[in-house]
């Protein structure tokens, strides 16, 4: 099997991280890979915000929990009031992928960029996980203010996904991936 296919099959979601930080060199390579993702009509209406500051990450989690507390969703309410809940699983690095909210192609472009982030991270021996919660809550007023004022994400951009990046503790088990029956149809 070639290297690219091996890398794709090796990628998995990690939800437990050590404190070891992703190096600036590796993070730069990962972000470069993101910018080389497919993009509709080459608009590039996206932005990548890489956070390695632990205090800012905690503040982001607090804003997610604040938005969850204001929702009617029982699962979100439960997470909002949990002292142990952390939307990014305490990963030392979080990459927020955002883009113009009014562009019809941006959600797809951002998804492609996120996949490049995950595959590049895997190729460098860095663990990752797709994170949705900042995107689900980015329109909450306190979250929006934090994103714009503290992280510099334009007010007309929405978050389409995030990538938690870091290193799993040694010996962390990886779930065996089982593909559901009838997932693929081939018509010839």
């Amino acid at each position: 099997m070639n290297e690219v296919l091996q890398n794709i099959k090796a990628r998995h979601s990690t939800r437990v991280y050590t404190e070891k930080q992703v190096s600036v060199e590796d993070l730069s390579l990962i972000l470069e890979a993101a910018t080389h993702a497919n993009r509709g009509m080459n608009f590039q209406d996206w932005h990548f915000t890489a956070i390695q500051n632990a205090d800012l990450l905690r503040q982001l989690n607090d804003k997610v929990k604040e938005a969850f507390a204001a929702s009617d969703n029982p699962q979100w309410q439960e997470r909002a009031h949990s002292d142990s809940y952390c939307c990014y699983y305490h990963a030392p690095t979080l990459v927020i992928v955002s883009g113009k909210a009014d562009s019809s192609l941006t959600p797809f472009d951002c998804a492609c960029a996120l996949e490049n982030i995950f595959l590049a991270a895997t190729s460098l021996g860095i663990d990752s996980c797709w994170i949705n919660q900042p995107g689900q809550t980015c329109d909450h007023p306190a979250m929006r203010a934090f994103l714009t004022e503290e992280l510099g994400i334009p007010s007309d951009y929405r978050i389409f996904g995030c990538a938690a990046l870091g290193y799993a503790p040694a010996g962390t088990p990886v779930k065996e991936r089982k593909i559901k029956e009838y997932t693929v149809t081939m018509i010839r």
Side-chain angles (χ1 to χ4, degrees):
M1 185 182 314
N2 73 42
E3 232 178 289
V4 172
L5 293 176
Q6 285 176 341
N7 193 51
I8 290 169
K9 287 186 173 193
R11 202 219 68 75
H12 61 275
S13 294
T14 296
R15 292 177 177 84
V16 178
Y17 294 90
T18 67
E19 293 180 11
K20 181 181 175 185
Q21 187 57 271
V22 175
S23 73
V24 172
E25 296 79 17
D26 284 347
L27 183 56
S28 294
L29 290 170
I30 291 167
L31 293 170
E32 181 181 7
T35 65
H36 285 274
N38 294 342
R39 51 211 176 267
M41 300 179 70
N42 200 26
F43 286 154
Q44 299 184 46
D45 290 335
W46 53 23
H47 187 80
F48 306 97
T49 306
I51 307 168
Q52 293 188 313
N53 178 300
D55 187 51
L56 281 176
L57 288 171
R58 277 191 294 278
Q59 289 178 53
L60 175 71
N61 192 60
D62 289 344
K63 297 301 176 195
V64 166
K65 289 173 74 171
E66 185 177 336
F68 279 1
S71 81
D72 295 331
N73 181 317
Q75 186 181 28
W76 286 10
Q77 284 282 332
E78 184 180 329
R79 289 176 178 176
H81 301 294
S82 169
D83 291 334
S84 63
Y85 177 74
C86 181
C87 70
Y88 59 92
Y89 301 107
H90 301 285
T93 299
L94 184 72
V95 178
I96 297 174
V97 181
S98 60
K100 282 194 174 188
D102 63 355
S103 172
S104 63
L105 299 175
T106 301
F108 308 107
D109 295 349
C110 290
C112 289
L114 276 158
E115 187 63 14
N116 275 18
I117 288 170
F118 296 129
L119 293 175
T122 299
S123 76
L124 296 168
I126 298 168
D127 294 296
S128 63
C129 188
W130 183 302
I131 305 297
N132 288 314
Q133 294 84 347
Q136 293 169 314
T137 59
C138 70
D139 291 328
H140 181 270
M143 175 63 115
R144 176 51 63 190
F146 177 77
L147 294 172
T148 303
E149 295 165 17
E150 299 297 324
L151 302 182
I153 296 173
S155 60
D156 63 336
Y157 275 42
R158 80 172 280 104
I159 296 173
F160 291 101
C162 305
L165 301 173
Y167 300 91
T172 300
V174 176
K175 284 185 185 176
E176 182 183 340
R177 191 171 293 173
K178 295 181 181 177
I179 309 301
K180 289 182 180 179
E181 198 173 343
Y182 304 111
T183 298
V184 176
T185 299
M186 188 180 294
I187 300 170
R188 300 177 60 167

